[in-house]
Amino acid sequence: THFIGGTRLQPKLNQDARKPTKSENCIVRVSMEREVKAKAAVSPPAVAADRLTPRVQERDGYYVLKEEFRQGINPQEKIKLGKEPMKFFIENEIEELAKTPFAELDSSKPGKDDIDVRLKWLGLFHRRKHQYGRFMMRFKLPNGITNSTQTRFLAETISKYGKEGCADLTTRQNWQIRGIMLEDVPSLLKGLESVGLSSLQSGMDNVRNAVGNPLAGIDPDEIVDTIPICQALNDYIINRGKGNTEITNLPRKWNVCVVGTHDLFEHPHINDLAYVPATKNGVFGFNILVGGFFSSKRCAEAIPMDAWVPTDDVVPLCKAILETYRDLGTRGNRQKTRMMWLIDEMGVEEFRAEVERRMPSGTIRRAGQDLIDPSWKRRSFFGVNPQKQAGLNYVGLHVPVGRLHAPEMFELARIADEYGNGEIRITVEQNLILPNIPTEKIDKLMQEPLLQKYSPNPTPLLANLVACTGSQFCGQAIAETKALSLQLTQQLEDTMETTRPIRLHFTGCPNTCAQIQVADIGFMGTMARDENRKPVEGFDIYLGGRIGSDSHLGELVVPGVPATKLLPVVQELMIQHFGAKRKP
Ligand code: SRM
Ligand code: SF4
């Protein structure tokens, strides 16, 4: 028996943490409310007919909750009822709002609701707690594809804000920028349009960025190019940048991804809807997984809907599922409003039947033959890799915890133009890929100063580090994440020898934006106690998350370790579970 971090640990049973036994998976079983397996696998009885009555109705072009379903709704639903958030964009009410002095807006409840909640429909997140009066802006970047023009535009935007401005690569293959002042928003929205970017419907009860294979179209081993599919989904989701009012009043956020390779880089098991390549009677299409999600009270892996659609039906199916969720999802306890809760309540067959009713053809075929090779070994995309196009390469670059500033973004844009075709890609691990680099330009590219900072060959632990925003900017954070995780990872690199990649994820609170349940070792911000029982910033440590065909959600193993005491605890976990050794 070992004692680390003040916690009693059971003996190690198996060195290989990628295939842990049940008992190894959980060194210390801590009673948790958190659920780590999909409950919906057990189908409850079919629901009563009146439960299938849509709860929203169209009114003046927007979808609103019907009077008879307004009892016991959550505060966010009341804010939506108070005023339609999309009007800021569709009816250009943002112009007026941006002219109003911030202090005046912040002095009334409706004004506060506008700046703190409704503007999220335009991708604007007021950073009230840590950057008062400033907004973070999130985008829609289907398949994580951006380019030098957009990067330069974003760099110009944040450079105006001096020290307040910076950018992040997100865990949904996306850009976020910071420092924005409300008065600048109308012109910023126009600028975004001019470079083909949109921030619409990227926060609150909307569909998030459509994730695809970061190597789509250039990958010698891909099954299908996910770029046009993610693009088509995005065109529908935000109505080509005009806003899609049919789906801006969902019961909660909603995630979608399209799988393009055997590597499952897209994390299909943790999306509300995942398209997985499959054939049916020799025709190419996708099997459907539904209901995967993370939240502070429950984490569930996606389950099969026993459905297959040809490529042409990808968008109609997405629409049918979103409309089912919009019409029937509950809007009470906010912790029970993600789509999986509806699937639980209805049973997956009844849910499927409702989706089917909303398809243009009125039918959906049963699941086809999955094309994913379960024995596939996940590839790394760092460094120089040949593309399927002869003579061209993609170069994976490591951006420490996904944080960038304007000067580096200008450099990135220049490099993408000078060596490639201007295209830049973002991965869900918060890193970058530069595609379409001719072989003869590689040597010179490797000499670029930016590549000293964004390494094509990162050290083993740093390479797989992911960290959410944390308390630097996020009002929900319990702990600081980005700086601490970089420091700890460096200390681990300095003191430990590793023989295999170990994926470390840090998230500042139980919302788990950094997806710690899919990490080898996950760190979730919490309040802990130091040796004098004084409350201090700390982390719950999770172990055993797996990605790919062998997916599994990690579990809590060591609760409440003070942030300053993490090093010895993690060293011990690395030795016990990942075959690491201390450096002499
Ligand atoms: Fe997240 C809320 C950041 C991916 C689950 N997330 C937030 C907010 C908006 C909270 C806030 O208002 O401050 C954070 C903004 C902080 C900031 O200033 O940056 C925030 N989430 C992020 C990002 C930026 C983390 C990152 O560093 O990469 C990611 C943006 C992705 C994007 O481009 O859209 C991000 N968030 C995720 C993911 C991962 C994913 O989608 O694969 C999850 C878990 C998966 C899921 O949702 O099923 C996630 N975020 C949440 C939740 C919990 C949702 C729930 O159902 O309870 C919240 C809180 C909420 O929605 O009430 C949240
Ligand atoms: Fe903020 Fe928590 Fe999400 Fe981190 S996990 S970005 S702290 S909401």
Side-chain angles (χ1 to χ4, degrees):
T1 303
H2 305 262
F3 289 88
I4 57 173
T7 308
R8 175 187 281 260
L9 302 181
Q10 285 172 2
K12 159 188 69 133
L13 300 174
N14 184 344
Q15 289 281 356
D16 180 10
R18 292 192 82 77
K19 296 211 181 311
T21 62
K22 268 217 154 79
S23 51
E24 183 202 21
N25 237 341
C26 195
I27 309 177
V28 174
R29 283 207 182 266
V30 178
S31 73
M32 288 183 294
E33 279 183 25
R34 183 180 307 278
E35 177 191 8
V36 291
K37 274 285 166 198
K39 260 196 195 158
V42 187
S43 284
V47 292
D50 64 351
R51 176 64 183 88
L52 302 178
T53 310
R55 296 174 172 208
V56 293
Q57 64 189 9
E58 203 239 284
R59 194 183 294 158
D60 305 327
Y62 299 96
Y63 278 77
V64 291
L65 197 56
K66 292 176 183 166
E67 294 282 348
E68 61 267 37
F69 292 107
R70 293 186 188 177
Q71 281 295 320
I73 56 174
N74 60 57
Q76 287 80 356
E77 288 296 333
K78 288 182 188 152
I79 293 175
K80 290 193 272 182
L81 278 170
K83 186 161 119 196
E84 167 57 47
M86 277 304 278
K87 285 190 177 176
F88 280 123
F89 185 80
I90 290 183
E91 299 179 25
N92 208 20
E93 289 183 6
I94 187 68
E95 292 274 356
E96 229 15 74
L97 193 83
K99 282 186 209 145
T100 317
F102 203 78
E104 187 184 321
L105 288 173
D106 206 16
S107 63
S108 72
K109 161 95 170 99
K112 267 199 177 80
D113 288 345
D114 285 347
I115 54 182
D116 286 349
V117 185
R118 294 191 188 95
L119 282 182
K120 290 181 181 170
W121 271 255
L122 277 64
L124 284 159
F125 297 67
H126 181 215
R127 303 296 74 197
R128 174 175 289 279
K129 193 163 169 191
H130 300 293
Q131 216 184 10
Y132 180 80
R134 304 275 178 165
F135 290 80
M136 174 272 278
M137 185 177 239
R138 181 186 285 170
F139 300 97
K140 282 288 200 306
L141 209 67
N143 211 126
I145 310 287
T146 183
N147 59 41
S148 53
T149 311
Q150 294 175 347
T151 305
R152 226 171 260 122
F153 177 82
L154 298 180
E156 274 157 17
T157 305
I158 59 173
S159 57
K160 281 202 296 256
Y161 300 118
K163 281 207 309 273
E164 302 288 340
C166 66
D168 287 318
L169 306 174
T170 79
T171 54
R172 293 198 71 80
Q173 285 189 309
N174 203 353
W175 283 118
Q176 280 186 179
I177 57 170
R178 299 181 190 280
I180 294 156
M181 307 281 287
L182 185 56
E183 66 218 40
D184 300 335
V185 168
S187 66
L188 177 53
L189 290 173
K190 290 190 186 95
L192 289 175
E193 199 185 346
S194 73
V195 296
L197 272 175
S198 174
S199 61
L200 275 192
Q201 297 168 232
S202 56
M204 281 292 286
D205 301 345
N206 283 294
V207 179
R208 299 295 189 269
N209 195 38
V211 168
N213 173 17
L215 306 179
I218 57 175
D219 178 359
D221 295 313
E222 79 182 345
I223 305 169
V224 58
D225 181 352
T226 54
I227 296 172
I229 305 171
C230 287
Q231 187 62 55
L233 283 168
N234 193 60
D235 285 350
Y236 151 67
I237 288 160
I238 59 168
N239 187 20
R240 294 178 184 272
K242 295 187 179 68
N244 183 350
T245 53
E246 289 186 353
I247 50 166
T248 55
N249 187 2
L250 300 175
R252 199 69 161 90
K253 70 184 292 197
W254 192 87
N255 292 328
V256 59
C257 75
V258 183
V259 172
T261 81
H262 304 286
D263 308 83
L264 304 186
F265 292 132
E266 310 82 1
H267 293 175
H269 59 298
I270 61 166
N271 275 263
D272 294 87
L273 168 61
Y275 294 89
V276 182
T279 54
K280 181 108 185 166
N281 303 334
V283 179
F284 179 81
F286 296 90
N287 279 346
I288 304 304
L289 299 178
V290 285
F293 82 107
F294 289 167
S295 73
S296 59
K297 288 281 178 281
R298 177 181 176 194
C299 295
E301 284 191 68
I303 57 169
M305 198 174 87
D306 190 10
W308 174 91
V309 288
T311 309
D312 283 351
D313 274 351
V314 163
V315 172
L317 179 86
C318 179
K319 184 171 186 292
I321 290 184
L322 279 170
E323 288 177 3
T324 304
Y325 179 44
R326 176 200 66 193
D327 291 350
L328 304 178
T330 56
R331 294 167 189 254
N333 179 349
R334 191 102 174 132
Q335 287 300 340
K336 296 191 173 178
T337 51
R338 291 291 293 268
M339 193 172 79
M340 185 58 117
W341 291 96
L342 177 66
I343 300 172
D344 276 353
E345 186 192 342
M346 297 179 72
V348 73
E349 266 304 302
E350 186 88 32
F351 176 80
R352 187 187 186 286
E354 281 302 298
V355 175
E356 198 162 37
R357 268 189 344 102
R358 288 167 174 80
M359 286 294 282
S361 62
T363 59
I364 309 174
R365 317 273 304 271
R366 292 282 163 185
Q369 181 63 45
D370 197 322
L371 292 174
I372 303 298
D373 173 0
S375 64
W376 188 265
K377 196 169 176 315
R378 193 176 203 263
R379 295 165 290 171
S380 156
F381 25 59
F382 290 121
V384 181
N385 304 274
Q387 288 183 197
K388 70 163 137 190
Q389 296 82 2
L392 293 180
N393 305 273
Y394 66 87
V395 180
L397 301 180
H398 180 257
V399 179
V401 291
R403 172 63 49 78
L404 298 98
H405 294 89
E408 295 122 30
M409 290 164 74
F410 283 123
E411 269 299 276
L412 179 65
R414 177 187 65 77
I415 286 173
D417 282 338
E418 221 169 287
Y419 295 87
N421 64 345
E423 189 176 316
I424 298 165
R425 298 179 176 208
I426 300 175
T427 75
V428 296
E429 293 83 14
Q430 307 172 315
N431 292 310
L432 291 170
I433 292 172
L434 291 177
N436 303 317
I437 317 284
T439 306
E440 60 274 16
K441 290 189 175 176
I442 290 287
D443 285 347
K444 191 159 172 251
L445 170 62
M446 292 299 141
Q447 305 308 314
E448 284 285 351
L450 190 72
L451 272 69
Q452 306 313 306
K453 189 161 193 176
Y454 299 160
S455 173
N457 187 20
T459 48
L461 293 176
L462 204 55
N464 293 293
L465 174 64
V466 175
C468 80
T469 306
S471 64
Q472 185 185 9
F473 295 111
C474 180
Q476 310 224 12
I478 305 171
E480 197 283 318
T481 47
K482 289 203 189 263
L484 176 114
S485 64
L486 276 175
Q487 190 194 25
L488 181 74
T489 306
Q490 193 55 58
Q491 288 170 333
L492 291 167
E493 301 263 24
D494 292 344
T495 53
M496 305 297 286
E497 266 166 23
T498 52
T499 50
R500 47 153 293 193
I502 305 175
R503 294 170 306 104
L504 306 176
H505 288 213
F506 286 74
T507 216
C509 81
N511 287 328
T512 193
C513 300
Q515 310 146 330
I516 59 126
Q517 291 82 353
V518 304
D520 287 318
I521 309 181
F523 302 81
M524 180 187 281
T526 188
M527 287 315 286
R529 289 192 185 274
D530 68 7
E531 53 277 23
N532 304 316
R533 309 283 308 147
K534 205 174 125 234
V536 289
E537 227 170 76
F539 289 87
D540 286 339
I541 303 183
Y542 284 62
L543 197 69
R546 295 197 300 273
I547 47 183
S549 289
D550 186 28
S551 72
H552 176 82
L553 300 186
E555 293 171 34
L556 178 58
V557 293
V558 191
V561 182
T564 51
K565 302 273 191 268
L566 284 171
L567 183 64
V569 183
V570 185
Q571 285 171 330
E572 192 67 22
L573 288 173
M574 284 170 62
I575 293 167
Q576 283 190 42
H577 292 273
F578 300 93
K581 292 196 175 75
R582 287 181 205 279
K583 282 188 181 165

